[in-house]
Amino acid sequence: MTPSSAMWINAQLNKISKEDTIVLANNRQVLAFKKTWHLQKGNCALPKSLSWQQYLIQTWRTFAPNSSKRLISNIESRTLIAKSMRKLRQKTDNRLLNEVIKNNDYCHAHLIQYSQLSTSQNCDLFTAWLQDYQQTKLTHNLLDINDLPALIIAQHSTLPKPHLYGFKTLTPQQSLLFDTIGHQVLETQQKNTQSNNKIFQTTDDEILSAAQWAQAHHTRHPHHHIAIVCPTLSSQHHQIKSIFNQVFSDTLTETGQKAYNISLGLPLTDAPLIRHLLALLELCQQLPNNRISTKLFNTVITSPYLHHAQAERSKRALLVNRVLSFSQTHFKLTRLSPYLDTAPHLQALLSDITLSAPKQQTHDQWLIHFNTLMQNCGFATDRTLSSTEYQLFNKTQNASLGLNQLAQTHHKVSATHALLDLENTLSQVIFQAQSAPTPIQILGSLEAEGLIFDRAWVLGMSDDFLPMALNSPTFIPHTIAQHHQIPHTSFTLITKDAQNTLNNLINLSSEVICSYAKSHFNTEQRPSPLCQFTHELPALTRHHQAPAQHSLPDQHARPLPDPHIHNGVNTLKDQMSCPFKGFAHRLNIQSFDPPHIGLDRRQQGKIIHTALQYFYQQITTQAALLALKPTELDTLIQRKITQALAHYTVSAFRQNEQKRLLTILHQFIRIDQQRDPFTVLATEQQITTNIAGLTFTTRLDRLDETHNADKIIFDYKISNPTTSHWNAPVIKEPQLPIYAISNPVQGIAFIQLNADKVAIKGLFKAKDPQQWQQQTNAWKTTLETTSKHFQHAHAAVLPNNTACQYCPLTPLCRVKG
């Protein structure tokens, strides 16, 4: 992304000449310096302005232009560190690797020698990994960015003294370098003359108010440059984007044409286009081996980026159903071959890429192979790419060239290894679509510090942001970390950093608004102790039109006139996730299922419920189940499935479903055969439930009695249920907890029934009577409170993190509407 130039730095440049070198804290400040220079100096020749890393690289290349050593990128350095860890038998993942790299950077930035670290196991391992990495660099004559300061210090007598700007606190390494060379600091000016601190009820209110303020100010002063600063921009990106899109009516506008710019990049691998590309390359590795992942295959053949995707869309969708009918996580392509002629373009494509590839190659050779596969598959050539997709594809092509460097330090590797290195490389490249220059910038606090705008609003000034919490590095002992002043390792350092951050933020403009919200998605927040907040604003609504002359509060409606309701389980579930979503059940809104090829998920669930109902109405005890011979069991299962499918038209879809169910039911019944003795007391039984006066009927899938007279209720699920949802304040799957508090039972459990896994997951009193009692008491409190809220018509729009996913109420919702 090319950041907008609508910003300046907070410094007077009248003493700077074109011969000077300016070192700034980050790239955004470099761009702001150039803007400020042109405003203050006109067309005068621009001095050399560099970020810290740019300064290190260019300075080293200046005095060592013909060095035999090769400077590697941060991505290549990351790959070599991971290689050293694996060499020493350490299994790596991104989280561990990130921590190792961060701790290594701390060691260099704070002048900590590996030998200084204690002999604890973590430090020994860390030291061994990094020493091996250093040896790899030495063997291959390599340098990384952390090696450059020492080389520059050795040449200090020939280097000019730079001017510094934007560094809150110099690290010991930076101080040593600049003190050795000599330097000056560009003086900043105090800009803030007016501040206005505000308190909001929710973060939605806070962001909405900031968006409306920015829109109104931009309308009055279109040439003013406005900053909206959010310390947690990454986690609140979707929330901010959604609200700003609605305020500025930019919901369907291309990123580069929006009225504002959100300064947030995401890894290339987060983009759908790149995920589809990597999936295609992975499938190309599986096809020659004839062991194909069902999930991967279905993802690839339905990809809109695959050649002839539009022309064969329906045919490929039918092939997906055919593959699902295999009821396997992996399958052989030969099983699907008889049906591929219905999609001839896909058939030809699969035929081309099933040709065997080399077993081992160097990384650069694999890169050529991957590009050839993309060309042969016509990836991203069958449709017009949007501007963002086009930029993504070009960025990916450039980033993938990093494999060429890996060829210099790695021997021949397998396709799987090379593809994993490609994915890891792309995951480290941050992408943001280019945006046109816009006067409204939404950015994080680190990006904003040191810049100047006409107006600024700083969101999220809570005590979670300022001051930061204590945080010691994982692989550096706390005493060493404190002694070398690693950030956030002592209260003194935290206090100093927090005050510096606050000073930088309140000097973004002569008029700065700071705000915080009392709650964020039902989590209570407190103000930063560094700010004084006295101006509390009432809750806002998301309407853009003026309210009616006679308005009513919309947080509550009239109490429920009749406590007997339909669809009670889903009503309580929705009331917990979002009170308005629960209230909407009172409106009797009719929903319609979208068109679907074959049997949809609702029909599949109904069929498997019916088949199991028929089976356990006949086989009511485990003893009777164990008494069946294998042939008798198989015949009985087939007969019950046929009965369950009797009302569905004979078709290939029905035949596929019959085969799928046969496999799943056999797997489940094998589990039932291995349980302790039981008796099935009821299946698909309709019962009436009363939760705090709210009554409704619901259907109980199955009730068992065990050998010790315990009663257990089961709920069939064709999805992937998890019992962790029962422990949260919002019960995402409340049906079984509702049964548990309404009936004298000693256990509840999901029965997972799908092609990926067949299992029983539950909570039983016999395992831990105390935990069972505590849990049922918690369920009772939560569900009865929710019931009372629904009856008293609590209808506030307060969705939890997942409530808005797949919500059908968008046209009605006062947030989304």
Side-chain angles (χ1 to χ4, degrees):
M1 174 211 167
T2 303
S4 168
S5 59
M7 51 193 165
W8 309 271
I9 65 166
N10 179 17
Q12 286 294 328
L13 306 179
N14 54 317
K15 297 181 180 180
I16 304 297
S17 69
K18 64 180 181 180
E19 288 78 21
D20 288 323
T21 297
I22 317 299
V23 183
L24 302 104
N26 55 52
N27 291 328
R28 185 173 285 272
Q29 289 182 4
V30 172
L31 293 170
F33 171 83
K34 294 176 180 179
K35 174 72 173 179
T36 308
W37 178 266
H38 288 303
L39 288 173
Q40 295 186 18
K41 297 276 193 169
N43 293 324
C44 291
L46 187 70
K48 185 182 293 185
S49 52
L50 305 165
S51 69
W52 162 245
Q53 288 205 358
Q54 289 171 340
Y55 174 75
L56 294 178
I57 294 170
Q58 290 201 18
T59 304
W60 172 70
R61 286 175 176 165
T62 298
F63 67 74
N66 300 314
S67 174
S68 61
K69 293 183 178 294
R70 180 170 70 86
L71 180 65
I72 60 177
S73 67
N74 290 338
I75 294 176
E76 190 176 354
S77 170
R78 178 187 180 88
T79 304
L80 292 177
I81 291 174
K83 181 181 178 182
S84 292
M85 294 171 68
R86 290 193 296 269
K87 178 181 175 182
L88 296 175
R89 299 183 179 181
Q90 174 62 51
K91 186 177 180 181
T92 61
D93 56 33
N94 281 333
R95 186 175 178 181
L96 174 61
L97 189 54
N98 289 340
E99 192 65 25
V100 170
I101 292 170
K102 182 176 75 173
N103 281 247
N104 184 47
D105 290 343
Y106 278 143
C107 285
H108 286 276
H110 293 267
L111 305 178
I112 301 172
Q113 302 294 323
Y114 298 142
S115 57
Q116 289 180 254
L117 303 181
S118 70
T119 57
S120 66
Q121 184 178 6
N122 280 353
C123 294
D124 281 348
L125 286 171
F126 172 75
T127 301
W129 298 333
L130 271 301
Q131 286 176 339
D132 187 84
Y133 165 65
Q134 300 296 342
Q135 184 59 48
T136 299
K137 291 195 301 176
L138 186 64
T139 302
H140 294 281
N141 219 17
L142 305 175
L143 294 172
D144 64 25
I145 195 72
N146 287 320
D147 296 320
L148 300 186
L151 297 176
I152 294 172
I153 289 172
Q155 299 288 329
H156 72 275
S157 60
T158 63
L159 298 176
K161 299 177 181 180
H163 294 261
L164 307 185
Y165 178 84
F167 294 87
K168 278 197 300 187
T169 303
L170 292 176
T171 67
Q173 182 189 57
Q174 291 170 334
S175 293
L176 177 62
L177 187 152
F178 290 129
D179 289 345
T180 303
I181 296 174
H183 69 281
Q184 300 179 58
V185 177
L186 283 180
E187 293 184 2
T188 59
Q189 298 175 316
Q190 193 75 11
K191 298 293 293 184
N192 185 265
T193 58
Q194 180 179 346
S195 61
N196 183 6
N197 297 344
K198 299 182 178 182
I199 306 172
F200 292 90
Q201 299 300 314
T202 68
T203 50
D204 267 5
D205 289 345
E206 184 184 18
I207 296 167
L208 175 59
S209 184
Q212 292 172 339
W213 168 82
Q215 183 191 48
H217 189 84
H218 175 60
T219 301
R220 293 193 303 270
H221 307 284
H223 300 297
H224 278 192
H225 302 303
I226 300 169
I228 306 292
V229 181
C230 179
T232 53
L233 183 58
S234 178
S235 62
Q236 289 187 262
H237 175 253
H238 177 74
Q239 186 185 15
I240 290 173
K241 182 178 179 181
S242 174
I243 293 174
F244 269 75
N245 276 345
Q246 292 174 52
V247 171
F248 285 87
S249 301
D250 274 353
T251 302
L252 300 178
T253 306
E254 260 293 342
T255 300
Q257 301 172 349
K258 289 183 181 295
Y260 61 90
N261 175 58
I262 299 182
S263 176
L264 178 70
L266 297 173
L268 283 173
T269 46
D270 282 5
L273 172 70
I274 309 309
R275 289 201 301 270
H276 280 257
L277 170 58
L278 293 171
L280 172 63
L281 294 177
E282 185 178 357
L283 181 64
C284 290
Q285 312 316 313
Q286 293 185 1
L287 283 168
N289 299 323
N290 206 19
R291 186 174 188 272
I292 304 164
S293 163
T294 296
K295 182 178 180 180
L296 178 67
F297 182 83
N298 290 342
T299 297
V300 171
I301 70 169
T302 55
S303 169
Y305 304 106
L306 204 61
H307 204 32
H308 297 290
Q310 185 66 27
E312 292 186 343
R313 182 175 59 179
S314 59
K315 301 298 184 183
R316 295 180 186 185
L318 291 173
L319 288 174
V320 168
N321 281 276
R322 178 69 63 181
V323 171
L324 291 175
S325 72
F326 299 159
S327 299
Q328 293 179 325
T329 58
H330 292 77
F331 70 98
K332 294 182 181 295
L333 187 62
T334 48
R335 291 192 64 183
L336 194 61
S337 297
Y339 313 104
L340 285 174
D341 55 0
T342 60
H345 294 296
L346 178 64
Q347 184 181 39
L349 186 150
L350 294 175
S351 177
D352 288 342
I353 59 181
T354 49
L355 300 176
S356 59
K359 297 295 182 184
Q360 299 276 322
Q361 291 190 124
T362 57
H363 281 85
D364 55 338
Q365 291 171 326
W366 279 120
L367 181 58
I368 295 173
H369 179 73
F370 293 154
N371 285 326
T372 302
L373 287 174
M374 281 192 292
Q375 292 173 6
N376 292 343
C377 296
F379 185 81
T381 61
D382 201 33
R383 62 192 290 270
T384 302
L385 297 180
S386 68
S387 172
T388 299
E389 289 174 327
Y390 182 77
Q391 295 172 49
L392 269 167
F393 197 73
N394 284 340
K395 184 90 169 182
T396 300
Q397 292 287 78
N398 291 331
S400 64
L401 296 176
L403 290 190
N404 292 330
Q405 277 71 49
L406 295 182
Q408 301 179 39
T409 52
H410 290 67
H411 299 297
K412 291 182 177 181
V413 296
S414 66
T416 301
H417 189 148
L419 186 56
L420 180 61
D421 283 338
L422 175 61
E423 184 174 358
N424 288 336
T425 296
L426 298 182
S427 71
Q428 296 306 307
V429 177
I430 302 302
F431 170 81
Q432 185 177 5
Q434 290 183 355
S435 63
T438 172
I440 302 174
Q441 294 287 309
I442 304 172
L443 61 168
S445 62
L446 286 176
E447 294 177 292
E449 291 182 41
L451 304 180
I452 291 297
F453 298 85
D454 292 299
R455 294 290 184 274
W457 184 315
V458 183
L459 304 167
M461 292 290 281
S462 69
D463 62 353
D464 287 333
F465 169 47
L466 291 178
M468 298 286 286
L470 280 171
N471 184 20
S472 293
T474 303
F475 298 108
I476 301 175
H478 184 67
T479 53
I480 295 178
Q482 276 193 323
H483 177 73
H484 288 266
Q485 298 191 329
I486 291 178
H488 308 137
T489 55
S490 73
F491 289 113
T492 301
L493 292 172
I494 288 172
T495 302
K496 180 180 178 182
D497 179 75
Q499 193 59 57
N500 287 339
T501 298
L502 180 63
N503 289 339
N504 285 338
L505 292 177
I506 64 176
N507 280 287
L508 290 173
S509 171
S510 58
E511 294 184 24
V512 178
I513 296 173
C514 294
S515 65
Y516 95 98
K518 297 171 74 172
S519 71
H520 175 59
F521 293 126
N522 296 329
T523 300
E524 183 180 351
Q525 297 189 137
R526 294 173 297 183
S528 168
L530 278 68
C531 299
Q532 293 294 325
F533 291 93
T534 57
H535 187 192
E536 182 168 347
L537 299 176
L540 304 179
T541 65
R542 297 285 292 276
H543 292 294
H544 301 299
Q545 297 180 349
Q549 185 175 2
H550 301 287
S551 60
L552 294 172
D554 61 1
Q555 306 298 308
H556 291 80
R558 295 180 179 179
L560 188 70
D562 183 1
H564 184 76
I565 62 171
H566 299 286
N567 203 15
V569 172
N570 284 331
T571 297
L572 293 180
K573 175 182 177 180
D574 289 341
Q575 183 74 26
M576 280 185 283
S577 66
C578 174
F580 175 71
K581 197 173 182 182
F583 167 78
H585 283 267
R586 293 173 56 172
L587 306 179
N588 295 321
I589 299 171
Q590 187 175 2
S591 60
F592 299 90
D593 293 330
H596 193 278
I597 298 175
L599 299 169
D600 61 27
R601 298 286 288 172
R602 181 183 58 81
Q603 290 171 319
Q604 288 179 323
K606 183 176 180 182
I607 292 167
I608 202 168
H609 274 69
T610 305
L612 287 169
Q613 176 188 5
Y614 291 159
F615 184 90
Y616 283 104
Q617 283 177 343
Q618 181 171 339
I619 305 299
T620 59
T621 66
Q622 190 193 52
L625 182 62
L626 294 172
L628 291 173
K629 297 177 181 179
T631 54
E632 293 174 336
L633 178 60
D634 186 68
T635 301
L636 183 60
I637 292 174
Q638 293 214 45
R639 189 166 70 246
K640 300 307 180 185
I641 293 174
T642 301
Q643 291 175 4
L645 288 165
H647 300 294
Y648 294 86
T649 304
V650 177
S651 65
F653 297 118
R654 174 175 151 168
Q655 293 174 0
N656 291 340
E657 186 65 5
Q658 188 158 4
K659 293 177 184 177
R660 191 181 74 89
L661 289 183
L662 188 62
T663 301
I664 292 174
L665 263 60
H666 267 294
Q667 292 177 16
F668 169 61
I669 288 172
R670 279 197 295 272
I671 293 174
D672 246 0
Q673 288 173 329
Q674 297 168 13
R675 289 173 52 205
D676 291 336
F678 63 83
T679 299
V680 180
L681 299 180
T683 61
E684 301 298 323
Q685 180 183 17
Q686 193 174 60
I687 60 174
T688 299
T689 301
N690 186 315
I691 305 294
L694 190 69
T695 61
F696 51 90
T697 59
T698 187
R699 189 173 296 276
L700 180 152
D701 290 350
R702 175 173 161 184
L703 175 64
D704 280 11
E705 186 178 66
T706 63
H707 65 287
N708 60 359
D710 282 350
K711 291 183 174 61
I712 301 174
I713 295 177
F714 295 96
D715 189 25
Y716 301 136
K717 291 289 184 185
I718 62 171
S719 58
N720 298 312
T722 172
T723 58
S724 63
H725 289 167
W726 292 339
N727 302 325
V730 174
I731 307 173
K732 293 184 179 180
E733 294 289 348
Q735 186 158 0
L736 286 174
I738 287 173
Y739 291 153
I741 68 170
S742 307
N743 299 275
V745 296
Q746 288 75 43
I748 56 174
F750 292 122
I751 296 177
Q752 180 176 339
L753 300 164
N754 58 49
D756 291 333
K757 187 176 183 181
V758 176
I760 297 177
K761 305 174 181 179
L763 182 64
F764 308 99
K765 181 178 180 180
K767 290 185 178 180
D768 190 339
Q770 184 177 2
Q771 181 191 6
W772 172 260
Q773 188 60 49
Q774 291 174 347
Q775 186 63 76
T776 53
N777 289 341
W779 288 335
K780 184 178 178 66
T781 300
T782 298
L783 290 167
E784 288 186 348
T785 300
T786 302
S787 172
K788 292 174 183 176
H789 285 173
F790 176 76
Q791 293 178 68
H792 293 100
H794 287 213
V797 182
L798 293 173
N800 65 10
N801 291 339
T802 60
C804 297
Q805 294 178 2
Y806 313 115
C807 180
L809 303 174
T810 301
L812 294 177
C813 183
R814 301 184 308 280
V815 168
K816 299 293 182 183

